[in-house]
Amino acid sequence: KNFDQLEAQLSEQVRQASSPDEVYALLSAGYWGDVGQIIVHVRQHEATLEYIKRDQQTKSRALSAAELEILLRFLHENQVDDLGPLNLAANDGIQYEYIHLTRVGGRRVFMNNPGLGGSGGSVYDRLCKVFQDAVSGNPH
């Protein structure tokens, strides 16, 4: 599925009555496939992480309060919702899209191959690592 389809599904989900208050996601796509979709559903200060693997197998778990705090602090301190797109002149590779949705709207940040072309250690690169660390259960 492409970014638009996934974003539309998440946007519809967050508008439903029993929905999460907010959704944070790191979506991925590439010419040869993706590296999985990471979706964090937050409702009343409790969060669930959903990881949809490349083969569509889904893994879900509750995030601890500390894990959620790490993610939210990173997003706030780095003003991730205000970032512009990262368009590196890289062939192939993986494109990512960070999405933050609420019932009244949302924000998306497109990233082409964060971590490459001099962007290693950038906010874009670290954003991807924060989400990937949450999947692995090793927050920093």
Side-chain angles (χ1 to χ4, degrees), residues 51-64:
Y51 176 50
I52 305 168
K53 297 180 184 179
R54 186 176 182 172
D55 63 6
Q56 298 303 305
Q57 196 175 37
T58 301
K59 178 172 95 172
S60 293
R61 71 175 182 86
L63 284 182
S64 70

Side-chain angles (χ1 to χ4, degrees), residues 47-113:
T48 302
L49 181 137
E50 179 181 16
Y51 176 50
I52 305 168
K53 297 180 184 179
R54 186 176 182 172
D55 63 6
Q56 298 303 305
Q57 196 175 37
T58 301
K59 178 172 95 172
S60 293
R61 71 175 182 86
L63 284 182
S64 70
E67 289 174 308
L68 179 59
E69 174 62 26
I70 287 169
L71 175 65
L72 296 179
R73 185 177 340 114
F74 178 88
L75 297 173
H76 175 74
E77 287 176 356
N78 292 282
Q79 301 176 349
V80 172
D81 282 12
D82 297 328
L83 291 174
L86 174 67
N87 287 311
L88 297 176
N91 294 328
D92 291 332
I94 299 290
Q95 292 79 44
Y96 291 91
E97 190 169 88
Y98 160 78
I99 296 175
H100 176 205
L101 298 170
T102 66
R103 288 187 176 95
V104 296
R107 180 72 174 114
R108 103 172 50 120
V109 177
F110 175 80
M111 298 171 279
N112 182 30
N113 292 290

